[in-house]
Amino acid sequence: MYEIIENKSIGEGVNVYKISAPDIAAKALPGQFVILRVHKKGERIPITIADTDKNSGYITILVQTLGKTTHLLSELKAGDELADLVGPLGIPSEIENFGTVVCIGGGFGIAAVHPIAKALKNAGNDVISIIGARRKDLLLMENEMRSASSQLLIATDDGSYGTKGFVTDILKRLIVDDKKNIIRVIAIGPVPMMKAVSDFTKQYNIKTIVSLNPIMIDGTGMCGACRVLVGGETKFACVDGPDFDAHQVDFENLVNRQRFYKDEEKSSYECHRKEHHKEQ
Amino acid sequence: MENKNKEQIILNTKERLKIKRHDMPAQNPAKRVQNFKEVSVGYSIEEAIEEAKRCIDCKVPYCIQGCPVSIDIPAFIKLIEKGDFLGAAKKIREKSSLPAICGRVCPQEDQCEKACTVGKRKDSTSVAIGNLERFVADYEAEHGKKNNVSNGKNLYDKKIAIVGAGPSGLAAAGELRQKGYRVSIFEALHEVGGVLIYGVPEFRLPKSILLREVQILKDNGVEIFTNVVIGKTITVDELLNEKGYSAVFIGTGAGTPKFLNIPGEELNGVYSANEFLTRINLMRAYNMNEYDTPMKCGKTLVVFGAGNTAMDAVRTGLRLGYSDARIFYRRSRNEMTARLEEIHHAEQEGIKFDFLINPIRFIGDEKQNLKQVECERMELGEPDESGRRRPIPIKGSEFVADIDAAVIAIGTNVNPIVPSSTPGMDLNKWGYIIADEKTGKTTKKGVFAGGDIVTGAATVILAMGAGKNAADAIDQYLKTDIW
C-alpha cells in the first residue's frame, strides 16, 4: 500500500524517501504534512511533505535519523512498505502574490520550506531564500532551493560555505543594509532559529510565519498533544497549523513540550540499538 | 438439559420474580488493577439461564422501547432460557450488528433495564439484559462457526461511503450491507472502532472483541479503508461525484477535546483524556517494551471530570502504575454522569473521589513540568440550564495539591475537518452537522449524518441507533431518489 520507491542517503543521518501515495500526492499543498508508522507496533510520527509528483503518484519526504522510529525508517529499502501513512494533514501555507518574500530554512527546516518557496515563486513573488546549516555538508537541497528562488543566500555556522554565521545575519543585512521592501518572511527550522528570526522581524513589523513541530499523535485534532500557545490562546498545530504568526507564538513553551519524552525516547533508541547489534 | 429446561419454562410469574438478579462475576479488584484484562468475566451457561428465567415476558415489553435499536429483548431472553443461545444471537442480530460491544458498554440502567417491568416492582431489580446480550454474543463467537455471516450478497449496484469507523459508522455499514448494498468505510486512524479502540480501555472492552465484530462486517463484504481522512485525503464531494458513491453517511464523532482554559494548562504532564487514552489504548503505551509510543508514570494522577471518560482515564492511570489516582469534580456525587457500574468498579479499585473542587491553575517547575494544581472548593447553588445545581466557588477556600499528571475529561467539541470541507451542508452554531433526527438526512442531497457529529458527545448505543436509522433512510432514498 505505502511502498517505498526510493530511499537515498543525502548526508549524515538524513535520508530522502519517495513513497507511493497517489491520493496524498494528488491533494498535498505546500505546508502540509503526513503521519506515518513504520511497523505494526510503531508510533505515529509527523513529517512534512517536501515534494509531490502527482503524475507518478508519489510524495517525497526528508527524514533525519534521530531515534528509534526514524532509524527503522532509514533501514527500509525500495520495495519495502510502511505500516501506515496518512495525509495530507494540516492547513496549507498561505500562497499569494505578496511581493518580496523571504523564505528561511534552517538545517532540516530547508526540506519544509522548499515547497512553500516553490509555490510562492510560482505565484509571482520575488522569493529571496536564505538557507543555513552548521557545516557545508549538512546543507540540504541547495539546488532545489536555488530553482525555487529568485535569489539564494547561504549561511554556515563555521563559514565552510556561504556567509559565516546565522541565517538571521543575512536577514539583518537584507532589511537594514539593503533596505529591501520585504512583505513577508517564512521561517522554518530549529526553534531557536525561528525565535531569533521572529524577534528580529518584530522590530520591523514584518509579517512572519513559522511552521511549528510539536509532538503529535493522531494529527487530526482529536487529542491536543500538539497544542501550542499562540497569542495566549491554545491552538492545535495539526488542524489549526502547523503555520502560525511567529510574533504570537510562545516558543519557550514549544521547546519545553518537545522535550517531555526525551528520556523515554533515548532509552527506546538505546534498547533498539542494543537488540539490533545482537541480531547482527 | 432439554427436559430440565422444558420443565422450568412453565414457571409462573410469581416464581420468576422470586429469583434474585445474578450479578456479573468480576476479577478481584486487588488483582485486576495490576492488569489490563477485562474486569467483568461474563456469565456461565447456568447463570445466563437462571437470569433469563427472571424475564416475565410482559404483554407490553417496555424494555424494547428503552433500547435505541429496538432489539426484541423478551424473544432473545426466552431463547436463552430454552438453551438456544445461537438462536438468541440471531434474534439480536436482526436489530444490532455489535451485540458483544453493546452488552458491555451500553448504560443499560438508563435504557432497556430502566424500562424493565421486573425492576419497577418493590424489592426487585430489573433483568440483567446487558449481561445476557453479552453472554449470547460471546457464546456465538465461540460456538457459532460464522453462522452470522449470511448476507454477503450484492443485491444492488449502488455503493455507499461511510465516513468514520466508530459505533455509528459500523452500525450503518452492517445494516446497509445486510440490505445488499456495497459499502466502504473510510477511517482516519490506522485502526477501526473510533472511541471503542482509542477511548474505551481494554479492561472494559477487549480489543479482540471489537476486532471480532469488525471481522464479521468484513466477512460480510464491507470494505474498510484506514488512513483516509475525509476532508483532507478525499472530500465528501469527491466521494459523491468522482468515486461513484450514491450516498455518504458521516459518523465522525465529536473527537476534539475541551480544555479548562486555565493558566498552566500547557505544562508537560497535563493531558486531554483523549491523548492519555489514545496513547495507552490505541498506541498500546501500557506495553512500552513492545510498542514504541511513550507514556510517563508518576505517583499522583488527578482526572478532572466525572463522566465515563473520566472513569476510564483514572482507572487506566491506576493500572499504568500511579499509586494515587483520583477524581476532582466540581459538583457532587449526585451530579456525576458516569455509569453507576463504572463508578462502583473505580471505587472498588481504590480510586478516590474528591467532590466540589474546581481547578484554578496548574503550577510547573523550571522545566515547565507539572508539579501542583491550585484549586478552590465549591458549593452548589441553583440549578443551571443543564438542570444540575450550579457549583459556586467558596471564597478563601483555595488550596494547592502536589500532582504529577492531570487529565482533563470535561467533554469534547466537534472536529471541524469534515464539516468545514463539505460545502452545502448546514451546521449549527457549535459546528455540529444539522441532520434529521429520524433519518439522519443533512441539508446536502445524498449526505446523511449521525452519532456525536450531530448530537455532540453522547453514548455508543445512541450513535449505533442513529447509524441504523440512517441506513434505513439511505435505503429509502436510493430506491426512490426522493430527498
Side-chain angles (χ1 to χ4, degrees):
Chain A
M1 273 283 264
Y2 317 104
E3 191 191 331
I4 308 269
I5 299 171
E6 189 183 290
N7 172 7
K8 203 167 66 185
S9 169
I10 54 160
E12 204 181 325
V14 178
N15 289 44
V16 55
Y17 304 83
K18 285 180 181 164
I19 303 168
S20 169
D23 286 347
I24 301 175
K27 274 293 161 58
L29 292 169
Q32 291 190 298
F33 63 94
V34 290
I35 290 218
L36 63 84
R37 280 206 315 159
V38 176
H39 65 119
K40 286 290 174 200
K41 291 180 177 180
E43 60 181 342
R44 298 168 66 97
I45 61 164
I47 308 279
T48 303
I49 302 166
D51 211 347
T52 57
D53 187 324
K54 289 183 189 3
N55 294 331
S56 313
Y58 67 79
I59 61 166
T60 302
I61 56 172
L62 269 74
V63 183
Q64 190 170 17
T65 301
L66 290 171
K68 179 176 175 183
T69 299
T70 47
H71 183 248
L72 286 170
L73 185 63
S74 72
E75 292 185 324
L76 296 183
K77 295 177 179 60
D80 288 345
E81 289 192 357
L82 295 174
D84 297 289
L85 178 70
V86 60
L89 301 171
I91 308 280
S93 298
E94 227 181 320
I95 305 294
E96 272 176 46
N97 191 349
F98 297 108
T100 301
V101 295
V102 173
C103 290
I104 305 177
F108 206 71
I110 302 169
V113 90
H114 168 252
I116 302 172
K118 195 164 131 185
L120 285 168
K121 192 182 177 204
N122 287 340
N125 292 278
D126 177 24
V127 177
I128 306 172
S129 293
I130 311 172
I131 57 174
R134 278 186 288 125
R135 306 188 303 265
K136 183 184 178 190
D137 58 321
L138 299 174
L139 198 67
L140 303 174
M141 302 181 83
E142 185 190 338
N143 292 334
E144 288 89 338
M145 282 305 289
R146 199 176 297 285
S147 63
S149 322
S150 35
Q151 191 184 352
L152 181 70
L153 302 161
I154 295 167
T156 49
D157 294 8
D158 66 354
S160 51
Y161 194 46
T163 307
K164 183 175 184 331
F166 300 126
V167 289
T168 39
D169 298 328
I170 297 181
L171 180 66
K172 258 180 222 175
R173 204 177 70 208
L174 289 175
I175 295 172
V176 181
D177 303 339
D178 303 351
K179 306 237 174 333
K180 288 265 184 196
N181 182 25
I182 297 164
I183 305 299
R184 174 178 285 238
V185 172
I186 293 97
I188 308 179
V191 176
M193 172 231 133
M194 292 196 289
K195 187 174 184 312
V197 169
S198 173
D199 288 346
F200 186 71
T201 56
K202 207 171 181 174
Q203 303 167 41
Y204 294 88
N205 211 12
I206 299 169
K207 177 96 171 173
T208 300
I209 304 294
V210 286
S211 177
L212 303 185
N213 54 343
I215 291 173
M216 285 188 190
I217 305 168
D218 64 290
T220 60
M222 61 164 259
C223 85
C226 67
R227 64 193 191 275
V228 288
L229 283 175
V230 181
E233 273 181 62
T234 296
K235 299 278 179 195
F236 292 3
C238 71
V239 287
D240 301 321
D243 286 2
F244 291 100
D245 178 347
H247 301 153
Q248 303 291 319
V249 170
D250 184 337
F251 287 105
E252 193 199 348
N253 180 247
L254 174 66
V255 171
N256 282 307
R257 286 185 65 81
Q258 284 173 336
R259 267 193 211 133
F260 190 44
Y261 291 100
K262 272 278 177 291
D263 294 346
E264 287 79 4
E265 284 163 5
K266 209 176 138 199
S267 77
S268 170
Y269 196 14
E270 275 167 11
C271 246
H272 168 67
R273 274 188 294 203
K274 253 182 232 159
E275 275 171 33
H276 199 69
H277 196 68
K278 241 186 278 167
E279 276 168 29
Q280 293 182 340
Chain B
M1 184 76 139
E2 196 131 291
N3 283 336
K4 201 169 124 212
N5 279 330
K6 246 178 215 161
E7 184 189 313
Q8 284 161 347
I9 283 162
I10 47 169
L11 288 173
N12 64 36
T13 302
K14 220 173 176 179
E15 288 167 313
R16 290 181 183 277
L17 287 169
K18 271 191 200 148
I19 308 171
K20 282 239 151 57
R21 178 174 162 126
H22 293 71
D23 284 331
M24 181 64 109
Q27 265 198 79
N28 172 295
K31 205 174 155 191
R32 74 184 186 229
V33 296
Q34 291 167 27
N35 64 55
F36 275 82
K37 286 189 202 128
E38 192 170 16
V39 166
S40 305
V41 295
Y43 282 156
S44 64
I45 287 177
E46 291 72 25
E47 285 166 325
I49 291 172
E50 277 297 294
E51 182 62 27
K53 284 182 192 160
R54 298 184 63 237
C55 172
I56 57 172
D57 205 3
C58 310
K59 281 215 178 66
V60 185
Y62 293 105
C63 54
I64 299 180
Q65 295 169 28
C67 171
V69 297
S70 311
I71 292 171
D72 189 345
I73 292 165
F76 96 76
I77 293 184
K78 289 302 122 186
L79 287 165
I80 297 177
E81 192 175 328
K82 285 182 197 149
D84 182 3
F85 308 128
L86 293 179
K90 217 170 157 192
K91 187 49 77 186
I92 296 174
R93 285 193 183 275
E94 286 173 8
K95 297 287 182 178
S96 168
S97 48
L98 309 165
I101 294 165
C102 291
R104 286 172 166 84
V105 304
C106 272
Q108 290 99 3
E109 66 273 22
D110 291 326
Q111 296 173 337
C112 55
E113 292 181 22
K114 190 182 187 183
C116 171
T117 311
V118 176
K120 292 218 168 80
R121 297 176 63 101
K122 229 174 83 183
D123 306 324
S124 186
T125 44
S126 43
V127 175
I129 300 165
N131 293 354
L132 288 172
E133 181 184 25
R134 171 192 160 152
F135 166 79
V136 160
D138 289 355
Y139 184 92
E140 180 198 43
E142 222 173 293
H143 307 274
K145 291 192 182 165
K146 294 198 173 185
N147 79 331
N148 36 37
V149 181
S150 54
N151 288 290
K153 284 175 268 179
N154 289 327
L155 297 179
Y156 307 102
D157 269 344
K158 289 179 173 162
K159 294 197 298 176
I160 299 151
I162 308 284
V163 182
S168 72
L170 293 177
E175 192 68 20
L176 286 163
R177 186 63 195 142
Q178 219 159 59
K179 290 181 195 296
Y181 290 98
R182 292 158 67 197
V183 180
S184 313
I185 301 179
F186 297 91
E187 166 58 42
L189 290 172
H190 57 270
E191 285 190 68
V192 297
V195 72
L196 302 171
I197 191 89
Y198 73 77
V200 181
E202 179 78 13
F203 57 83
R204 266 211 308 133
L205 173 66
K207 289 181 184 67
S208 56
I209 285 163
L210 174 66
L211 292 176
R212 194 173 83 195
E213 296 281 20
V214 171
Q215 192 56 49
I216 294 173
L217 287 179
K218 283 195 200 165
D219 291 344
N220 275 327
V222 172
E223 261 185 320
I224 299 181
F225 300 100
T226 51
N227 295 323
V228 182
V229 183
I230 297 299
K232 295 281 186 191
T233 318
I234 307 170
T235 63
V236 169
D237 282 344
E238 287 167 343
L239 289 173
L240 287 169
N241 303 331
E242 291 163 33
K243 304 269 175 185
Y245 290 94
S246 303
V248 175
F249 173 79
I250 302 173
T252 49
T256 300
K258 275 186 196 163
F259 282 93
L260 293 158
N261 294 317
I262 60 173
E265 207 160 16
E266 70 286 356
L267 291 169
N268 287 323
V270 180
Y271 303 88
S272 73
N274 270 7
E275 181 190 346
F276 189 76
L277 291 169
T278 297
R279 280 183 183 274
I280 296 166
N281 295 330
L282 177 70
M283 306 310 298
R284 277 55 156 194
Y286 61 83
N287 183 358
M288 275 171 56
N289 293 329
E290 253 187 75
Y291 290 83
D292 294 343
T293 300
M295 189 71 211
K296 294 257 187 201
C297 183
K299 190 176 149 292
T300 305
L301 171 85
V302 174
V303 176
F304 296 88
N308 289 316
T309 307
M311 295 309 128
D312 286 343
V314 77
R315 296 173 68 199
T316 295
L318 201 65
R319 284 162 173 77
L320 199 63
Y322 283 91
S323 52
D324 179 8
R326 53 177 69 218
I327 294 277
F328 277 8
Y329 183 40
R330 65 196 187 110
R331 303 182 199 245
S332 74
R333 177 175 288 272
N334 292 333
E335 287 83 26
M336 291 173 79
T337 55
R339 291 189 66 190
L340 284 175
E341 190 189 1
E342 302 312 322
I343 297 171
H344 180 63
H345 278 156
E347 281 177 327
Q348 280 182 337
E349 289 166 9
I351 302 292
K352 293 182 201 75
F353 291 77
D354 292 306
F355 296 105
L356 294 162
I357 287 179
N358 190 45
I360 310 168
R361 66 181 175 117
F362 293 110
I363 303 164
D365 62 14
E366 69 288 346
K367 285 181 179 160
Q368 292 201 22
N369 291 333
L370 178 67
K371 281 286 162 248
Q372 292 174 312
V373 60
E374 184 177 357
C375 301
E376 60 191 351
R377 302 216 180 260
M378 312 293 275
E379 59 189 353
L380 291 182
E382 294 300 309
D384 61 14
E385 61 280 1
S386 76
R388 297 178 298 176
R389 294 178 63 191
R390 185 192 301 273
I392 303 165
I394 301 171
K395 272 198 183 127
S397 67
E398 294 82 5
F399 68 94
V400 171
D402 291 346
I403 62 174
D404 302 305
V407 174
I408 317 295
I410 57 166
T412 54
N413 288 319
V414 69
N415 186 313
I417 291 180
V418 172
S420 68
S421 63
T422 309
M425 186 172 67
D426 291 348
L427 312 176
N428 70 15
K429 63 174 172 175
W430 299 283
Y432 293 98
I433 297 172
I434 295 173
D436 182 82
E437 207 178 309
K438 285 211 180 69
T439 63
K441 270 186 193 172
T442 69
T443 54
K444 187 180 176 81
K445 191 176 182 215
V447 180
F448 298 75
D452 289 3
I453 188 70
V454 172
T455 59
T459 62
V460 168
I461 186 68
L462 285 174
M464 287 184 46
K468 230 176 115 62
N469 290 342
D472 290 338
I474 290 169
D475 181 37
Q476 277 298 309
Y477 165 65
L478 293 181
K479 281 177 177 152
T480 62
D481 201 36
I482 297 168
W483 187 250

